[in-house]
């Protein structure tokens, strides 16, 4: 994400108040209602709304009005708040180019009034998932709604605390300068990431420096956990600096030995692969001197307490679970789309059937209607032609239909092509109707030259019904065997009568 700070100079005092109000409101709202923003910012509704519109224009806020008029901070908005605080503390005055991008951070060069270069690291946890937070989570208790921003803040605070503790104890890490929200300011390391180094003049020295660093960290009760070529910088003098330590664990951790060995092996295998250097000597977990120093206390003193760590772990787990659920539901959606395709198709086609039935009825009623859609007229012509060909009697048609019904259970829309038209699917009531029809046909039709009594009337009625259904079935059969699958949800595909009736309903 690009950090465009140009707008900072155009924001008024009220705009900043509003931005802070949104941040505060997000502690218990995913989207903060306008009235609440105005309340927190202590602005009148009109003034508040004006400021909201202004900062929304600069993309510092995200607007959602599906359930109520609400806003939330974007990462850019959060960046602005962090930058504003750092600027007002005279820590930074200029923001330069982006020089690095990590999985969960953006790195910028910044400078102060004295033109001293520094590094600004903006933590961006869940930068992908942030976009996919469920749309229906509009109001939440606790801080869950703002948790990506909150998690980024915790992550920055943690890094700052570790950096400070390590720096104060003489470890080769950048000097931490300041931290606000999800922003960390530190000194710029003169060097290159180990991953970019093609050849070392003294690989043995660098290797042993790195191994010593791992052991020294362990002596202080810490294991890096992610000690690899991406997190190590090498200067021109082949001095090492550790720049990133997101997953530090204590040597009292249950899997401490595993993490320790992993760090060691990571460096060993990298040196072997890249510099052809086989590190025959390497430290073991037992080499470290049990709790020589305790950095935990120092880290807590720097502001990152155990409570915050617990909060961070819980929230990370929550977010991961959420993401997994979302991904699963996404997968499920796709798989169920396939699995239920035939079901959906049936439903859709049922709807189509309904519509077709309605259309048929309309056609019957309005045979001479001038407003018949041209498309339908064409269909009608095709229908009539095919109807003549398929005039094999009601029984045969119903038999065909029954076959289709059974075959259609495995029908998939994706199978439809120009050679295999979409078959029709009948509703249950329709099948029942057909069964009745078959039974009726089985009965002999009594033709007597007597005055129509009740029985005759009944028979006549059934015969009419039978003819009507037969016609309808024929029509449906021929219509649905078109190669084209009609999309009936567009106004264009509706008959002119339908559209007209619809419009009339509103007049
Ligand atoms: N203090 C610094 N001085 C100079 N360059 C730095 C500094 N900090 C970070 N960088 C540059 O930014 C890049 C990314 O930094 P960093 O590893 O801290 O980000 P990250 O998000 O933690 O990365 P990842 O999690 O992907 O390892 C580094 O490879 C390095 O080139």
């Amino acid at each position: 994400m690009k950090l465009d700070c140009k707008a900072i100079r155009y924001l008024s005092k009220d705009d900043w108040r509003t931005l802070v109000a949104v941040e505060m409101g997000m502690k218990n709202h995913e989207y903060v209602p306008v009235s609440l923003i105005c309340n927190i910012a202590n602005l009148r509704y009109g003034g508040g709304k004006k400021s909201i519109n202004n900062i929304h224009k600069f993309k510092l806020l995200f607007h959602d009005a599906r359930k109520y008029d609400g806003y939330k901070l974007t990462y850019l908005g959060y960046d602005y708040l962090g930058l504003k605080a750092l600027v007002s503390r005279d820590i930074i005055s200029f923001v330069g180019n982006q020089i690095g991008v990590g999985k969960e951070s953006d790195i910028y060069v910044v400078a102060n009034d004295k033109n001293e270069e520094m590094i600004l690291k903006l933590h961006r946890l869940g930068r992908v998932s942030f976009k996919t937070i469920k749309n229906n989570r509009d109001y939440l208790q606790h801080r869950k709604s703002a948790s990506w921003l909150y998690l980024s803040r915790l992550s920055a605070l943690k890094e700052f605390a570790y950096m400070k503790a390590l720096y104060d104890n003489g470890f080769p890490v950048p000097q931490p300068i300041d931290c606000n929200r999800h922003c960390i300011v530190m000194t710029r390391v003169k060097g290159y990431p180990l991953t970019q180094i093609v050849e070392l003049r003294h690989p043995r020295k660098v290797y042993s420096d790195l191994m010593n660093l791992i052991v020294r960290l362990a002596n202080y009760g810490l294991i890096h956990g992610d000690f690899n070529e991406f997190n190590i910088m090498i200067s021109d003098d082949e001095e090492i600096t550790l720049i990133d330590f997101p997953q530090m664990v204590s040597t009292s951790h249950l899997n401490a030995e595993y993490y320790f060995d992993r760090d060691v092996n990571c460096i060993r295998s990298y040196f072997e692969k890249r510099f052809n250097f086989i590190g025959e000597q390497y430290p073991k977990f037992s080499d470290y001197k049990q709790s020589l120093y305790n950095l935990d206390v120092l880290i807590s003193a720097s502001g990152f307490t155990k409570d915050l760590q617990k909060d961070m772990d819980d929230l990370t787990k929550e977010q991961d679970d959420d993401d997994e659920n979302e991904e699963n539901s996404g997968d499920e959606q796709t798989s169920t789309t396939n699995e239920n395709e035939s079901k959906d198709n049936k439903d859709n086609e049922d709807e189509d059937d309904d519509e077709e039935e309605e259309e048929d009825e309309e056609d019957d009623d309005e045979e001479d209607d001038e407003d018949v859609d041209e498309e339908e007229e064409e269909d009608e012509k095709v229908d009539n032609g095919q109807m003549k060909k398929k005039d094999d009697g009601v029984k045969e048609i119903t038999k065909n239909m029954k076959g289709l019904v059974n075959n259609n259970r495995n029908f998939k829309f994706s199978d439809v092509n120009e050679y295999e038209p979409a078959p029709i699917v009948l509703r249950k009531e329709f099948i029942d109707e057909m069964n009745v029809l078959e039974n009726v046909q089985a009965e002999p039709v009594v033709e007597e030259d007597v005055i129509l009594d009740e029985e005759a009337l009944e028979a006549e009625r059934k015969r009419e019904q039978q003819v009507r259904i037969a016609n309808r079935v024929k029509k449906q059969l021929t219509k649905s065997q078109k190669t084209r699958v009609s999309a009936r949800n567009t106004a264009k595909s509706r008959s002119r009568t339908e559209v007209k009736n619809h419009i009339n309903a509103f007049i």
Side-chain angles (χ1 to χ4, degrees):
M1 203 196 85
K2 197 166 175 282
L3 174 63
D4 185 358
C5 337
K6 276 200 292 268
I8 282 191
R9 69 186 80 151
Y10 303 119
L11 296 187
S12 66
K13 216 173 161 194
D14 283 355
D15 293 345
W16 286 112
R17 284 174 81 95
T18 311
L19 206 56
V20 174
V22 177
E23 185 192 22
M24 288 170 80
M26 280 181 71
K27 280 182 184 156
N28 47 14
H29 287 76
E30 183 172 0
Y31 290 97
V32 193
V34 176
S35 51
L36 184 63
I37 299 174
C38 296
N39 252 340
I40 301 174
N42 205 9
L43 294 170
R44 282 165 189 261
Y45 188 85
K49 190 76 189 158
K50 192 178 154 209
S51 292
I52 290 171
N53 288 341
N54 196 26
I55 49 182
H56 182 233
K57 191 176 73 194
F58 293 124
K59 298 195 175 115
L60 309 184
L61 295 182
F62 183 84
H63 183 213
D64 185 286
R66 271 170 301 176
K67 289 180 185 157
Y68 59 88
D69 208 11
Y71 291 84
K72 70 175 177 185
L73 277 182
T74 59
Y75 257 125
L76 188 61
Y78 206 46
D79 293 349
Y80 269 43
L81 286 172
L83 283 178
K84 170 84 175 158
L86 292 170
V87 170
S88 55
R89 286 184 206 161
D90 283 333
I91 303 292
I92 59 173
S93 304
F94 309 100
V95 176
N97 290 336
Q98 181 169 8
I99 59 150
V101 55
K103 283 191 298 294
E104 292 175 332
S105 66
D106 287 333
I107 318 287
Y108 289 87
V109 182
V110 291
N112 59 13
D113 272 343
K114 294 170 202 150
N115 253 341
E116 287 165 349
E117 258 186 10
M118 288 170 293
I119 291 292
L120 172 72
K121 182 167 177 176
L122 303 167
H123 283 248
R124 302 214 190 283
L125 263 68
R127 62 163 104 213
V128 182
S129 319
F130 188 57
K131 291 178 191 162
T132 61
I133 283 177
K134 276 191 185 126
N135 295 333
N136 51 5
R137 255 200 271 156
D138 60 336
Y139 176 82
L140 292 161
Q141 299 272 312
H142 199 48
R143 298 173 299 252
K144 209 174 170 184
S145 60
S147 47
W148 283 121
L149 297 184
Y150 181 62
L151 266 174
S152 300
R153 186 163 83 85
L154 286 182
S155 161
L157 191 61
K158 181 180 178 183
E159 180 165 2
F160 187 79
Y162 273 97
M163 201 185 287
K164 194 161 182 342
L166 291 172
Y167 184 80
D168 291 347
N169 281 279
F171 281 89
V173 293
Q175 183 188 353
I177 296 171
D178 203 351
C179 172
N180 186 275
R181 294 182 174 86
H182 64 316
C183 314
I184 297 180
V185 183
M186 58 182 129
T187 50
R188 184 173 185 176
V189 176
K190 300 266 179 283
Y192 320 92
L194 184 59
T195 177
Q196 289 177 13
I197 308 284
V198 180
E199 204 179 340
L200 286 171
R201 273 172 285 145
H202 309 102
R204 182 180 295 275
K205 178 193 166 274
V206 178
Y207 174 83
S208 72
D209 281 354
L210 290 171
M211 291 304 166
N212 284 339
L213 182 55
I214 294 176
V215 177
R216 196 161 159 232
L217 279 170
N219 288 344
Y220 278 78
L222 293 170
I223 294 168
H224 189 284
D226 195 17
F227 202 82
N228 59 37
E229 63 277 17
F230 299 99
N231 296 329
I232 296 159
M233 302 276 280
I234 305 276
S235 69
D236 288 336
D237 303 332
E238 296 191 338
E239 294 295 330
I240 55 169
T241 312
L242 199 54
I243 53 164
D244 189 23
F245 16 83
Q247 8 202 333
M248 284 270 199
V249 289
S250 164
T251 40
S252 53
H253 192 278
L254 215 64
N255 295 326
E257 188 165 359
Y258 166 78
Y259 288 125
F260 184 92
D261 290 346
R262 197 174 68 175
D263 283 355
V264 171
N265 286 333
C266 191
I267 294 299
R268 280 187 72 209
S269 56
Y270 185 75
F271 266 68
E272 195 177 330
K273 199 171 64 190
R274 173 59 73 95
F275 309 116
N276 253 335
F277 177 88
I278 298 171
E280 278 163 10
Q281 288 179 340
Y282 57 92
K284 314 229 169 31
F285 187 60
S286 48
D287 289 350
Y288 90 94
K289 297 187 186 73
Q290 190 76 36
S291 292
L292 204 62
Y293 310 93
N294 197 353
L295 272 191
D296 277 10
V297 183
L298 276 171
I299 287 157
S300 294
S302 311
F304 195 73
T305 56
K306 278 192 175 152
D307 285 349
L308 285 179
Q309 176 68 59
K310 194 176 169 296
D311 221 9
M312 191 171 169
D313 293 344
D314 291 350
L315 273 171
T316 314
K317 198 170 166 297
E318 254 173 48
Q319 296 290 18
D320 287 348
D321 288 350
D322 272 10
D323 282 355
E324 253 172 47
N325 289 342
E326 271 167 34
E327 272 169 29
N328 289 344
S329 67
D331 292 348
E332 269 168 32
Q333 266 177 10
T334 45
S335 66
T336 45
T337 316
N338 290 333
E339 280 169 22
N340 297 335
E341 217 168 44
S342 55
K343 189 176 170 290
D344 292 345
N345 289 333
K346 275 180 193 173
D347 294 344
N348 289 341
E349 290 191 14
D350 283 352
E351 279 169 26
D352 277 358
D353 286 349
D354 289 345
E355 285 181 11
E356 274 180 27
E357 264 176 45
E358 278 168 27
E359 261 177 41
D360 292 344
E361 273 163 27
E362 255 179 42
D363 289 349
D364 290 344
D365 296 344
E366 305 169 24
E367 258 176 38
D368 297 322
D369 194 347
E370 289 172 2
D371 287 342
V372 178
D373 195 4
E374 282 170 25
E375 203 181 296
E376 273 189 16
E377 267 176 28
E378 271 173 33
D379 290 351
E380 204 80 23
K381 279 179 203 163
V382 179
D383 289 351
N384 290 338
Q386 286 184 352
M387 265 167 70
K388 275 175 203 155
K389 282 182 209 163
K390 287 177 181 281
D391 196 13
D392 298 323
V394 180
K395 251 193 170 177
E396 206 174 317
I397 292 165
T398 47
K399 223 159 110 188
N400 288 342
M401 299 291 282
K402 276 197 153 178
L404 276 171
V405 172
N406 294 333
N407 293 339
N408 279 342
R409 284 187 199 288
N410 300 324
F411 168 70
K412 285 188 176 172
F413 239 68
S414 49
D415 295 340
V416 175
N417 57 42
E418 56 178 314
Y419 306 109
E420 288 180 33
I424 50 168
V425 179
L426 295 183
R427 278 186 317 188
K428 196 173 164 298
E429 309 93 81
F430 211 56
I431 301 167
D432 293 345
E433 225 174 332
M434 285 199 307
N435 288 337
V436 174
L437 180 69
E438 268 181 18
N439 295 337
V440 172
Q441 275 189 329
E443 286 171 18
V445 181
V446 187
E447 288 184 6
E448 283 176 352
D449 289 335
V450 289
I451 303 162
L452 292 173
D453 57 358
E454 243 178 65
E455 222 174 70
L457 272 172
E458 180 67 67
E460 179 65 16
R461 211 170 45 246
K462 276 182 181 169
R463 203 178 63 79
E464 274 173 13
Q465 187 193 11
Q466 170 190 331
V467 171
R468 209 172 51 245
I469 292 171
N471 282 339
R472 201 189 299 170
V473 167
K474 270 192 226 167
K475 228 173 190 183
Q476 195 187 34
L477 183 67
T478 50
K479 259 194 168 182
S480 305
Q481 282 187 336
K482 285 182 287 185
T483 49
R484 181 167 51 88
V485 180
S486 63
R488 293 202 161 271
N489 55 350
T490 59
K492 210 180 160 192
S493 65
R494 307 246 164 210
S495 76
R496 218 177 288 165
T497 332
E498 266 178 89
V499 175
K500 213 168 158 190
N501 289 342
H502 185 73
I503 295 168
N504 284 341
F506 288 92
I507 297 172

